[in-house]
């Protein structure tokens, strides 16, 4: 594979930066409307997805361009930090939701119904990723090891219904957390996180997949990183 033709580190990042320029004021305004709940926890909850996706962008692009990520920290350390940040997204969101619980004012009935509707497909999506796709592959192993690029497309589990099970369905777990705790602050943070993961897809993941698999196969190649 000709690394000279791989996406530059900057490829797609004007979209990434521009989206943050738009999203950040909107989140700040929403937080202000909610009367600035739990500022430290709220903004760390917003910051974790940014740190996660910036880390993945740099790690992937540096690996594709020069193999620098593998040489400097190695794939195992890359995975450790990846999943620490991944777990941090859930931990901070649950913490925020707990602190802000009850602020939405939903009845127990609506909380239960919404939480169940969102949790079931979310859990099935996560199960499908672990069972059929593999966590290493979901974390971007194909950027580091060419053998992953030769693996067959995944059409089992949630991937029978969508090519991008993680971003379409697994992210419903974030929404489920917000509704389970009846938290308006967590709902706002979740909205940001879900929109922002699609920014990652178009700004970082899609250009990389087009390079690794060719534009005709890229849509089926990964099905979402997180």
């Amino acid at each position: 594979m000709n690394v000279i033709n791989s996406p530059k580190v900057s490829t797609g990042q004007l979209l990434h930066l521009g989206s943050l320029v738009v999203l950040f004021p909107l989140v700040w305004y929403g937080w202000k409307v909610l009367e600035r709940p739990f500022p430290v926890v709220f903004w760390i909850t917003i910051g974790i997805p940014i740190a996660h996706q910036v880390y993945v962008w740099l790690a992937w692009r540096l690996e594709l361009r020069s193999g620098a990520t593998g040489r400097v920290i190695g794939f195992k350390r890359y995975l450790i930090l990846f999943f620490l940040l991944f777990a941090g997204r859930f931990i901070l969101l649950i913490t925020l939701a707990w602190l802000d619980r009850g602020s939405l004012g939903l009845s127990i009935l609506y909380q239960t119904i919404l939480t169940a509707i969102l949790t079931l497909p979310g859990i099935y999506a996560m199960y499908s990723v672990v069972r059929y796709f593999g966590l290493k592959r979901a974390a971007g192993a194909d950027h580091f090891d060419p053998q992953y690029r030769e693996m067959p497309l995944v059409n089992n589990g949630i991937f029978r219904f969508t090519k991008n099970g993680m971003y379409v369905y697994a992210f419903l777990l974030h929404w489920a957390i917000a509704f389970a705790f009846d938290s308006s602050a967590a709902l706002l943070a979740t909205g940001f996180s879900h929109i922002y993961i699609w920014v990652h897809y178009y700004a970082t993941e899609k250009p990389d997949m087009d390079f690794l698999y060719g534009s005709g196969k890229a849509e089926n190649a990964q099905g979402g990183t997180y």
Side-chain angles (χ1 to χ4, degrees):
M1 182 169 290
N2 188 354
V3 297
I4 296 175
N5 296 324
S6 66
K8 297 178 181 178
V9 174
S10 60
T11 299
Q13 300 314 303
L14 185 60
L15 170 62
H16 187 171
L17 179 61
S19 298
L20 283 177
V21 168
V22 172
L23 289 171
F24 219 76
L26 291 175
V27 172
W28 180 87
Y29 179 75
W31 178 67
K32 182 180 177 183
V33 169
L34 296 177
E35 300 182 351
R36 300 180 172 88
F38 309 99
V40 174
V41 176
F42 179 84
W43 288 108
I44 294 177
T45 303
I46 296 297
I48 285 288
I50 297 174
H52 192 189
Q53 290 170 215
V54 167
Y55 167 68
V56 170
W57 154 53
L58 288 173
W60 283 4
R61 293 293 169 81
L62 291 173
E63 182 64 21
L64 287 182
R65 296 295 292 181
S66 64
T69 305
R71 288 200 311 273
V72 174
I73 64 173
F75 181 56
K76 288 184 179 179
R77 290 188 181 90
Y78 159 80
L79 281 179
I80 290 170
L81 185 51
F82 178 98
F83 285 112
L84 283 174
L85 289 167
F86 175 80
R89 295 170 81 130
F90 282 94
I91 292 169
L92 265 298
L93 183 64
I94 291 170
T95 301
L96 176 64
W98 169 257
L99 292 172
D100 189 55
R101 63 193 182 278
S103 61
L104 269 177
L106 295 175
S107 69
I108 293 295
L109 176 62
Y110 283 127
Q111 278 183 259
T112 303
I113 291 172
L114 287 170
T115 301
I117 289 173
L118 295 165
T119 299
L120 292 176
I123 289 177
Y124 184 52
M126 291 299 297
Y127 165 78
S128 299
V129 171
V130 174
R131 173 68 176 81
Y132 300 111
F133 202 75
L135 291 177
K136 289 183 179 180
R137 191 177 180 186
D142 49 3
H143 287 67
F144 298 84
D145 188 343
Q147 73 173 347
Y148 283 91
R149 302 166 201 166
E150 306 303 322
M151 290 182 174
L153 304 180
V154 177
N155 294 307
N156 298 314
I158 200 72
F159 299 101
R160 290 178 295 171
F161 310 109
T162 177
K163 298 180 180 72
N164 199 324
M166 286 300 291
Y167 301 167
V168 175
Y169 290 107
F171 254 77
L172 295 180
L173 290 174
H174 291 246
W175 296 95
I177 290 168
F179 284 117
F181 288 98
D182 193 32
S183 168
S184 54
L187 199 64
L188 176 59
T190 292
F192 165 78
S193 187
H194 206 166
I195 293 170
Y196 187 51
I197 196 63
W198 284 103
V199 172
H200 166 80
Y201 175 76
Y202 286 106
T204 299
E205 184 171 336
K206 191 175 187 304
D208 288 10
M209 296 303 102
D210 287 344
F211 168 70
L212 290 171
Y213 298 95
S215 57
K217 294 173 61 179
E219 251 187 82
N220 295 315
Q222 187 147 336
T225 307
Y226 305 122

